[in-house]
Amino acid sequence: MQVLKERILREGRNLGRGILKVDSFINHQVDPQLMVDVGRELARRFASFNVTKVLTAEISGIAPALTTALALGVPIVYARKTRPITMTNGTYRQTAPSHTKGKTVELMVSVEFLGPGDRVLIVDDFLATGRTIEALVRIVEMSGATLVGIGTVIEKAFEGGRERLSHLGVPIESLVVITDMSDGRIIFAE
Amino acid sequence: MQVLKERILREGRNLGRGILKVDSFINHQVDPQLMVDVGRELARRFASFNVTKVLTAEISGIAPALTTALALGVPIVYARKTRPITMTNGTYRQTAPSHTKGKTVELMVSVEFLGPGDRVLIVDDFLATGRTIEALVRIVEMSGATLVGIGTVIEKAFEGGRERLSHLGVPIESLVVITDMSDGRIIFAE
């Protein structure tokens, strides 16, 4: 996705240790039209998979997941990291270590919103180590739903997420793939 | 907004103590098309205010704020409640008591994304006590930006938020207003 590459090169900042700052257009300030374009492209790639729900994790997955779900015409469910008082029924719960938060986070999805009839596309802003997405996959499995694919906006290929998730046997689509962030660079896959 | 009223009556649940559960379409599972309609309507009501940024607080404000910003053609900024490692520059910080979390939360906005040139529309899912929105207003004031209005999806009129915010002298628009949730009821304003 060329427009995304250009935006990363223009506004993204390599903070070292594999950390990419894209908070001017993805995860603090957000460009809504770019998110709509991102959602349309992810939806296009999974158009033939009969997706019934898009699943993501709060917080920064919400924007691209919402626009993907909009383009697919299905609901989005975002896993909560803290239990709101309105979450009164049973939940599927899994934990994942968070790279950017420096601690373990819990992910919770109400049993009401995911079940055996669902065909789930997981969407997140980043594919890095894949551990957050792995926790979402376990939630899909707990619910009896079928995982049909994984879509992310930016993949950091050098953090091994794709390898970690490859045993799932579902397509993994990332709109841009970064292969190298050493020495302050941001190198994209061809 | 009739479609929203009907949805609340059909799927919303009054949990008592003024707590409205709408997590099947607003704040856990989200109906993306409804959010687009919500965003269009809020944008319509503030179309003449020359808004340059939509500001909200994570988490459940993100969806309606994103779609409002999309309709207005401006960026959205969501205040963070925990500092991500990519938030490296200065921040505007305020605290607010959270009704639904039962504790005080901190709201942080990077100084890069709000400044004296901005005309800010604050959008959130609920207008209840108004304390979260009040913290966002203080962030707008810290930045030197101009607050032009406040838009929310659901107002619980009996919690006094509108009175708390009225001294600001800006329009406050809510798409539905609930006047009474006592005895298990959900009563809308005419």
Side-chain angles (χ1 to χ4, degrees):
Chain A
M1 204 177 172
Q2 192 58 29
V3 62
L4 195 56
K5 275 189 197 174
E6 287 165 10
R7 193 70 174 263
I8 292 167
L9 288 173
R10 198 164 69 235
E11 295 183 29
R13 280 187 46 214
N14 181 341
L15 299 183
R17 294 175 296 126
I19 298 163
L20 181 65
K21 180 175 155 80
V22 286
D23 62 359
S24 65
F25 56 107
I26 290 185
N27 52 21
H28 179 27
Q29 182 167 257
V30 182
D31 177 338
Q33 188 56 56
L34 180 69
M35 281 302 128
V36 166
D37 296 343
V38 157
R40 280 191 188 133
E41 177 59 20
L42 284 174
R44 189 185 67 75
R45 297 191 189 188
F46 291 98
S48 64
F49 287 76
N50 300 312
V51 175
T52 66
K53 292 230 168 138
V54 172
L55 177 66
T56 190
E58 65 182 35
I59 298 156
S60 48
I62 295 175
L66 183 77
T67 54
T68 304
L70 177 68
L72 288 168
V74 301
I76 155 187
V77 175
Y78 54 88
R80 306 297 309 235
K81 290 178 182 170
T82 52
R83 177 186 289 271
I85 50 174
T86 49
M87 192 178 260
T88 49
N89 293 339
T91 50
Y92 307 116
R93 302 169 79 151
Q94 289 290 337
T95 56
S98 169
H99 186 41
T100 41
K101 295 276 168 59
K103 59 177 184 183
T104 294
V105 297
E106 193 167 36
L107 297 176
M108 288 170 277
V109 171
S110 177
V111 297
E112 301 164 74
F113 304 129
L114 219 50
D118 283 314
R119 295 176 56 80
V120 179
L121 172 63
I122 292 176
V123 170
D124 208 353
D125 55 342
F126 276 96
L127 173 56
T129 65
R131 288 177 183 273
T132 304
I133 291 172
E134 202 174 34
L136 291 173
V137 169
R138 289 195 299 267
I139 284 174
V140 173
E141 290 168 351
M142 288 174 82
S143 77
T146 303
L147 177 72
V148 301
I150 295 164
T152 75
V153 184
I154 301 172
E155 177 175 347
K156 295 191 288 188
F158 51 89
E159 293 194 4
R162 185 173 288 270
E163 291 70 27
R164 174 178 289 274
L165 301 169
S166 64
H167 71 279
L168 297 167
V170 297
I172 300 171
E173 294 280 347
S174 301
L175 299 187
V176 302
V177 178
I178 297 173
T179 54
D180 188 0
M181 287 182 61
S182 60
D183 302 324
R185 290 173 298 195
I186 300 174
I187 308 293
F188 296 103
E190 283 312 304
Chain B
M1 205 178 170
Q2 191 58 30
V3 62
L4 196 55
K5 275 189 195 173
E6 287 165 9
R7 194 69 175 264
I8 292 167
L9 289 173
R10 199 164 71 235
E11 295 184 28
R13 279 186 48 213
N14 180 340
L15 299 182
R17 294 175 296 127
I19 299 163
L20 182 64
K21 180 174 154 79
V22 287
D23 63 358
S24 66
F25 57 106
I26 290 184
N27 52 22
H28 179 27
Q29 182 167 257
V30 182
D31 177 337
Q33 188 55 56
L34 179 69
M35 282 301 128
V36 167
D37 296 342
V38 157
R40 279 191 188 133
E41 177 59 20
L42 285 174
R44 189 185 67 75
R45 297 192 188 188
F46 291 98
S48 64
F49 287 77
N50 300 312
V51 174
T52 65
K53 291 230 169 137
V54 172
L55 177 66
T56 191
E58 65 181 34
I59 300 160
S60 49
I62 296 175
L66 182 77
T67 54
T68 304
L70 177 69
L72 288 169
V74 301
I76 156 188
V77 176
Y78 53 89
R80 307 296 309 233
K81 291 178 182 170
T82 52
R83 178 186 287 270
I85 50 175
T86 49
M87 192 179 261
T88 48
N89 293 341
T91 50
Y92 307 117
R93 302 168 79 152
Q94 289 290 336
T95 56
S98 168
H99 186 42
T100 42
K101 293 277 167 59
K103 59 176 184 185
T104 294
V105 297
E106 194 168 34
L107 297 176
M108 287 169 277
V109 172
S110 177
V111 297
E112 300 164 75
F113 304 129
L114 220 49
D118 283 313
R119 295 176 57 80
V120 179
L121 172 63
I122 293 176
V123 170
D124 209 353
D125 56 343
F126 276 97
L127 173 56
T129 66
R131 288 178 183 275
T132 304
I133 290 172
E134 202 172 36
L136 291 173
V137 169
R138 288 196 299 266
I139 285 174
V140 173
E141 290 168 351
M142 288 173 82
S143 76
T146 303
L147 178 71
V148 301
I150 296 165
T152 74
V153 184
I154 300 172
E155 178 176 346
K156 295 191 286 187
F158 51 89
E159 293 193 3
R162 184 174 288 270
E163 290 71 26
R164 175 178 290 276
L165 301 168
S166 64
H167 72 278
L168 297 167
V170 297
I172 301 171
E173 295 279 348
S174 302
L175 299 186
V176 302
V177 178
I178 297 173
T179 55
D180 188 0
M181 287 180 63
S182 60
D183 302 323
R185 290 174 297 195
I186 299 174
I187 308 294
F188 296 104
E190 284 312 305

